[in-house]
Amino acid sequence: MSFQFIVETSARHVHLTAEAFAVLFGEGKELTVKKMLSQPGQFASEERVTIVGPKKELPNVSILGPFRSANQVELSATDARSIGITAPIRESGDVAGSGACKIVGPAGELEISEGVIVAKRHIHFTPEDAEKCGVKDKDIVWVRVETEGRKAILGDVVCRVSPNYATAMHIDTDESNAIAAPRSLMGEIVSVD
């Protein structure tokens, strides 16, 4: 049997620096853990922000912790279009020249000149699981998902390998809806580019 991994839907969210969080929520405030995520040490927080684009705004957007070294807003292509932001498809962390927006919190607001992206489909791998699948860091693969009435093979999936990861594939809400993804979905690599 081939190696299968969980495919998770990643909804819109933001990553913030500690400095940005202080501007938005006030000095001395901390992120409150709401739910731990599949990646070790990562969590969804209770705190929410509003993302403002030229056309309209998206309220109640989750902040993921812990704090990062750069601010990043991850939206689906539909989200970005609906609020008037041009957001490129990028790997997390690759924000140079990406979309701009305003982030609004209860204590303040922040204009970011770049940092809004549509996340590239990716699989987090432990080194052991990457070896089982015959892939290495930065490989681009095709993944088959077996969904009811909307089976699909997803291309342009980047492999990210680290001992700090748990093995899981992440797609956004547009992709999840397009394949009618159930709550629990597994994928398998069918070819490597």
Side-chain angles (χ1 to χ4, degrees), residues 2 4-5 7 142-146 151-154 186-190:
S2 61
Q4 293 198 320
F5 40 81
V7 179
W142 294 77
V143 174
R144 177 176 31 241
V145 288
E146 300 276 340
K151 292 179 180 67
I153 294 178
L154 302 174
M186 303 300 285
E188 64 179 299
I189 293 171
V190 290

Side-chain angles (χ1 to χ4, degrees), residues 6-185:
I6 192 161
V7 179
E8 299 175 319
T9 301
S10 182
R12 65 177 79 116
H13 62 270
V14 302
H15 299 284
L16 295 173
T17 64
E19 298 75 21
F21 185 78
V23 168
L24 298 169
F25 288 84
E27 287 293 338
K29 297 280 190 210
E30 290 291 329
L31 280 173
T32 314
V33 177
K34 178 179 182 180
K35 180 179 92 171
M36 295 308 292
L37 302 174
S38 65
Q39 295 307 304
Q42 305 291 306
F43 61 90
S45 73
E46 295 284 357
E47 290 73 28
R48 302 289 175 123
V49 292
T50 298
I51 305 301
V52 182
K55 283 191 192 167
K56 62 179 194 176
E57 56 188 47
L58 292 170
N60 216 23
V61 178
S62 179
I63 301 169
L64 300 192
F67 293 127
R68 294 277 185 97
S69 58
N71 297 310
Q72 180 173 289
V73 178
E74 293 184 36
L75 302 176
S76 69
T78 300
D79 284 339
R81 266 190 218 107
S82 75
I83 65 173
I85 295 174
T86 301
I89 297 169
R90 297 273 184 84
E91 274 192 70
S92 182
D94 180 9
V95 296
S98 59
C101 74
K102 186 196 296 183
I103 306 173
V104 179
E109 55 187 49
L110 194 64
E111 293 272 357
I112 61 169
S113 59
E114 61 185 20
V116 185
I117 64 167
V118 174
K120 189 172 178 68
R121 301 172 185 141
H122 58 279
I123 310 168
H124 296 275
F125 276 114
T126 63
E128 300 75 26
D129 287 346
E131 196 173 327
K132 285 178 195 165
C133 286
V135 296
K136 58 190 184 311
D137 193 49
K138 301 295 183 196
D139 276 355
I140 304 296
V141 298
W142 294 77
V143 174
R144 177 176 31 241
V145 288
E146 300 276 340
T147 55
E148 190 63 43
R150 285 207 167 172
K151 292 179 180 67
I153 294 178
L154 302 174
D156 299 316
V157 183
V158 67
C159 296
R160 298 169 58 189
V161 182
S162 167
N164 301 323
Y165 292 154
T167 299
M169 179 172 168
H170 289 154
I171 58 176
D172 70 20
T173 49
D174 283 352
E175 295 166 313
S176 182
N177 290 335
I179 61 172
R183 237 173 161 35
S184 179
L185 177 63

